[in-house]
Amino acid sequence: MSDSPLNLDTPIIAILRAPTAARFAEVAAVLHESGITAVEFTLTSAGALDALRDCAGSGHPIGVGSVLSARDAARAVDAGAAYLITPIVSAEVIAEGRRLGVPVISGAFSPTEIHYARAAGSTMVKVFPASVGGPEYLRAIRAPLPDIPLVPTGGVGLTDIEAYLDAGAAALGIGSPLIGDACAGGDLDALRERVSVVREQLS
């Protein structure tokens, strides 16, 4: 993806969110082995930063999501975050990310928010929640703002991938439709099968 500054092998950021991050490192390893190289550990999951430290040296970019403050950003980068993702446009998170030299993907929805996030220094902009407008909303946003790399996230299903990419998405953030119950002790082979479905759409 030439318009993705994260150099993703596939245009997918897998979002790991669970009550506890105890299985995040194991799930991330399965994703990496299966070809999904960008993974997000959410701060709303207990122990997310400890799980991130366990993944040190994996050779794949792991980001931290649900970042809401400069303090969150600093803690995440200290734990090894390769990039930061927010559900909102936070000027202080963007500024801290720039200070620390890591990309920030800010969550935004309206054209004004998206433009502001990019102008403030967001590397990419997460269109959230994407399911509200779907691929056609993304296409409409891209018309006046074609140079902003957009990452639809929130309600993106496995069968929606092609439509979002055709509408101009730089990447897609996908959580439960891809991860399922893998982070809560679910079948990792089933996760591998879902990754195969994703990769078939990208081939």
Side-chain angles (χ1 to χ4, degrees), residues 2-110:
S2 60
D3 55 356
S4 171
L6 299 183
N7 298 316
L8 308 178
D9 289 350
T10 60
I12 303 296
I13 301 173
I15 302 167
L16 275 55
R17 185 185 305 277
T20 172
R23 211 182 188 199
F24 278 15
E26 185 176 3
V27 170
V30 169
L31 290 165
H32 293 154
E33 292 164 6
S34 302
I36 303 296
T37 56
V39 179
E40 171 190 342
F41 289 5
T42 53
L43 282 180
T44 53
S45 306
L49 296 185
D50 289 333
L52 180 58
R53 293 185 183 94
D54 290 341
C55 295
S58 69
H60 298 289
I62 295 179
V64 170
S66 302
V67 176
L68 296 174
S69 67
R71 180 175 180 273
D72 286 345
R75 291 172 58 233
V77 173
D78 182 66
Y83 51 90
L84 305 170
I85 302 180
T86 74
I88 58 169
V89 182
S90 170
E92 69 173 271
V93 171
I94 296 170
E96 186 69 0
R98 295 183 70 177
R99 186 184 73 81
L100 295 170
V102 297
V104 175
I105 304 175
S106 295
F109 189 75
S110 72

Side-chain angles (χ1 to χ4, degrees), residues 1 3 11 138 142 149-152 161 163-172:
M1 292 182 309
D3 55 356
L138 187 76
R142 293 261 315 157
L150 300 178
V151 185
I161 292 172
Y164 276 109
L165 293 177
D166 287 347
L172 299 169

Side-chain angles (χ1 to χ4, degrees), residues 103-191:
V104 175
I105 304 175
S106 295
F109 189 75
S110 72
T112 299
E113 292 171 341
I114 291 168
H115 180 268
Y116 175 78
R118 180 65 166 176
S122 295
T123 308
M124 306 170 83
V125 179
K126 178 175 79 171
V127 181
F128 175 79
S131 59
V132 172
E136 288 309 310
Y137 180 72
L138 187 76
R139 193 183 307 276
I141 293 294
R142 293 261 315 157
L145 302 172
D147 297 326
I148 300 179
L150 300 178
V151 185
T153 305
V156 176
L158 300 188
T159 59
D160 300 327
I161 292 172
E162 186 174 357
Y164 276 109
L165 293 177
D166 287 347
L172 299 169
I174 306 180
S176 56
L178 173 61
I179 305 304
D181 62 354
C183 290
D187 186 354
L188 295 180
D189 285 334
L191 173 59

